Structures are given as C-alpha cells and as structure tokens.
Amino acid sequence: MKMLIFGGSGRTGQIMRNTAISAGWQVLAPTHAECDLLSPDAVSREVLESGADAVVNCAAISGLEACLDDPLSAHMVNAVAPATMALACRHTGARFVHLSTDYVLEGHKPGLRDESCKCKPANTYGESKREGELQVAEALPSALILRVSWVCGNPAKPAFVESMLSAALQGKALSAIGDKYSLPTDAQDIARVVLELLPTEAAGIIHTCSGGEPLSWHDCVSLALQTAVADGALAGMPQVARTALAAATFFRAERPRHTAMNNARLTQKLGIYMPSAGETLQNVTRRYLQSLKGS
Ligand SMILES: NC(=O)c1ccc[n+]([C@@H]2O[C@H](COP(=O)([O-])OP(=O)(O)OC[C@H]3O[C@@H](n4cnc5c(N)ncnc54)[C@H](OP(=O)(O)O)[C@@H]3O)[C@@H](O)[C@H]2O)c1
C-alpha cells in the first residue's frame, strides 16, 4: 500500500512518515522544492501520478504571523492546495486525510467544543484553514478532516512544551501564558489515528486531541515540568511566571482564547483511543528527555 504525504518535513509530517513506514506503507513524501503547494497544477499532478492508496496532507503555512503577512500564500497552501488534493483523490479513488486546527473555532467562551460548534476564526491562519476544511468537504465528502491542536511530541521539531523543557534544563527564567486554553496533541497520536481511521468509513471533521478539561499553556508547561522532576531530569520544580495573553505584544496576529476541543466523536463514537492531556504531556516530556540522551 502506497501513501503520499504532503508536508513530510514538518513537525507532524516527519512522524507521520516514520509511523507509516514502520507500519509497512510505501511512502512518497515530496519536499517543498519538489512540489510547491502554491501551484495547484503541481499538487494535482503529484496526486494523479503517485498511484497512492492514501494521501495525507500534513502541509500548511502554520505560522500565524506568516499568514498575516502573506494572506494570498496562506489561502493557496491552506485552502486551495488541500481542495486540489481532494479533487485529485476523487479522481483516483485514494483515501484523503487533511489536518486542520482548533483555530477555526470561535474562541470567546470557556469550555470544550465538539464538531458542531460554531466556526469563527480570529485570524488569517484560521480563516484559510476553515476555507480549506469547507473546500475539502465539498470536493470529497469521504475525506477525513482531523482538527488537531497544540501539536507537540516531535523532539526534532520542538514545540512550546519542548522549548520550555529545554529552557528549564538550562536554568533559564520561565514564563507561560495562563489565560489561553486548548488541549495538546501528540504528533505520534495523530499518525496512529490516521492509520487507524484509514480503513474505516469515517469521514468529515473529527476533533483529534488529548482528552480532559481545557489547559492553559502555563498548565501544560507545569505538567511537563512535573514529569521532568519526577523522572530526575530536574532537581526541583522551577518557578513558571504566569503571564497574560494581552501582554504578549510580540504576537501580531490575534489568538483565540478558548478553543479546547471535545474528542468524544473520535474516542466514543469511533472507538479510537486518545490519552488524557496529562498522559500526553508525560509521554511528550519523556520522549524529549530521551532524545537529549541520544544527542
Ligand atoms: N503546530 C501546531 O501546534 C498545530 C496546531 C493546530 C493545527 N495544526 C495543523 O497541523 C498540521 C501540521 O502542522 P505542523 O505544525 O506539523 O506543520 P509544520 O511543522 O509547520 O510543517 C508544515 C509543512 O508544510 C510544508 N509547506 C509549507 N508551505 C509549503 C509549500 N508552499 N509547498 C510545499 N510544502 C509546504 C513545510 O515544508 P517546508 O518546511 O520545507 O517549507 C512543512 O513540511 C497543519 O495542517 C497545521 O495547520 C498545527
């Protein structure tokens, strides 16, 4: 069985690629230089000529400020390219999996959001990703659209949690925003979920994140540090200053405050295991600490 992965060099794409290869898939993963997602022709050709049984889109312009600065490229890569992939998969019959984000959701009120909740992106990134969701669903109703959030767990591409662990190990002063909420997703869980869903009839939007109540970045960092202390990597629990989103003036694009997702469709209706957020942060921390021993 052959899988075509777009964005195979990214945080999630690297893990998707390794996981699929370990599971026995033949993987094609064109680089950015080999297939620029700004070109619908190149995207279409790649899918049509790949002979792939499954196409997984882990590519995106995922930086909020990058999208703000170049909305046309954000639109092309985050919306037009996935729609083109979906259309090409309709032609070839390949199963299509597209990754989306909690940032498509309205982020004003606290709580957990399921797949029926209102979408109202707060920024250009979220707008382009929502457009991608809508166009993929229209082009190929059987496509899987997995909304993920706060992706971590690839030590080679450190996310916020890994960066804070690194700073703590170097004895640096730590601070984290304490009034913005979501749930972390381990890239290894994303890859596993993709492989488990591929042979099923599941389609449409699926919230794919850890379980539990919404966490702030400060909560996530504290849980990761607790594991590092318990495992002996840190002598004691470092202080983490709690900061406010409104004070993060280095963010130019607006961030939604409350986008934690309820993963019940995935876990209860589709019967796919997802760890709690606490377990995810423990797994991600241990993987990161382990990677340092090997480096
Ligand atoms: N990271 C998060 O916390 C997060 C949260 C919610 C949702 N998501 C979603 O999850 C998915 C994976 O995110 P990620 O963080 O793993 O992504 P990432 O690390 O930012 O990687 C993005 C990938 O897309 C590729 N790419 C970007 N522009 C391209 C272009 N014009 N042509 C070809 N390739 C291009 C990049 O290749 P180059 O590096 O070579 O340019 C890279 O391989 C995305 O759909 C993202 O929106 C991520």
Side-chain angles (χ1 to χ4, degrees):
M1 298 280 275
K2 201 187 277 186
M3 180 182 288
L4 172 62
I5 300 175
F6 288 101
S9 66
R11 182 176 292 143
T12 314
Q14 283 185 342
I15 303 264
M16 185 70 242
R17 186 181 174 158
N18 294 341
T19 307
I21 290 170
S22 297
W25 286 78
Q26 180 191 345
V27 171
L28 303 173
T31 62
H32 188 151
E34 288 164 346
C35 180
D36 190 338
L37 270 58
L38 288 172
S39 161
D41 280 352
V43 171
S44 193
R45 207 175 321 115
E46 196 68 46
V47 176
L48 295 175
E49 292 177 0
S50 66
D53 304 283
V55 176
V56 181
N57 181 26
C58 299
I61 297 184
S62 58
L64 272 61
E65 276 67 33
C67 292
L68 184 69
D69 292 340
D70 189 353
L72 180 58
S73 293
H75 169 76
M76 294 305 291
V77 173
N78 294 345
V80 176
T84 308
M85 292 171 204
L87 276 174
C89 287
R90 191 166 81 186
H91 190 75
T92 64
R95 191 90 160 99
F96 181 48
V97 184
H98 172 61
L99 299 185
S100 189
T101 169
D102 57 326
Y103 278 16
V104 299
L105 294 161
E106 180 171 63
H108 299 320
K109 291 191 200 127
L112 289 170
R113 281 152 180 70
D114 66 23
E115 290 80 355
S116 67
C117 281
K118 186 175 174 187
C119 289
K120 195 176 176 202
N123 49 49
T124 311
Y125 167 71
E127 282 166 5
S128 65
K129 294 294 289 185
R130 178 60 181 153
E131 204 185 325
E133 288 186 347
L134 293 170
Q135 290 198 27
V136 165
E138 192 179 332
L140 188 68
S142 66
L144 283 159
I145 300 170
L146 307 185
R147 281 187 189 150
V148 301
S149 50
W150 288 358
V151 177
C152 47
N154 179 352
K157 297 266 176 181
F160 179 66
V161 172
E162 287 102 347
S163 299
M164 292 299 277
L165 282 167
S166 170
L169 291 167
Q170 293 170 62
K172 292 184 179 166
L174 305 177
S175 66
I177 291 172
D179 59 352
K180 171 176 163 40
Y181 302 87
S182 187
L183 283 162
T185 315
D186 184 346
Q188 286 203 354
D189 285 317
I190 300 174
R192 174 183 54 80
V193 168
V194 168
L195 294 187
E196 289 185 29
L197 287 177
L198 277 176
T200 72
E201 301 279 301
I205 292 168
I206 301 176
H207 285 183
T208 304
C209 60
S210 308
E213 291 303 309
L215 296 179
S216 68
W217 271 325
H218 189 277
D219 297 329
C220 289
V221 170
S222 301
L223 286 166
L225 291 172
Q226 278 170 22
T227 296
V229 172
D231 287 5
L234 288 170
M237 188 68 184
Q239 288 288 322
V240 186
R242 185 185 294 272
T243 59
L245 180 60
T249 47
F250 43 86
F251 288 154
R252 288 182 290 115
E254 188 183 338
R255 263 74 178 164
R257 197 177 286 278
H258 300 283
T259 55
M261 300 184 290
N262 178 340
N263 68 10
R265 179 176 181 214
L266 180 69
T267 56
Q268 289 169 29
K269 294 208 177 115
L270 296 167
I272 306 273
Y273 169 78
M274 282 301 273
S276 68
E279 288 166 319
T280 292
L281 290 161
Q282 199 170 69
N283 295 339
V284 165
T285 300
R286 291 196 169 137
R287 195 176 309 137
Y288 180 66
L289 295 174
Q290 192 61 37
S291 76
L292 297 179
K293 287 184 188 156
S295 61

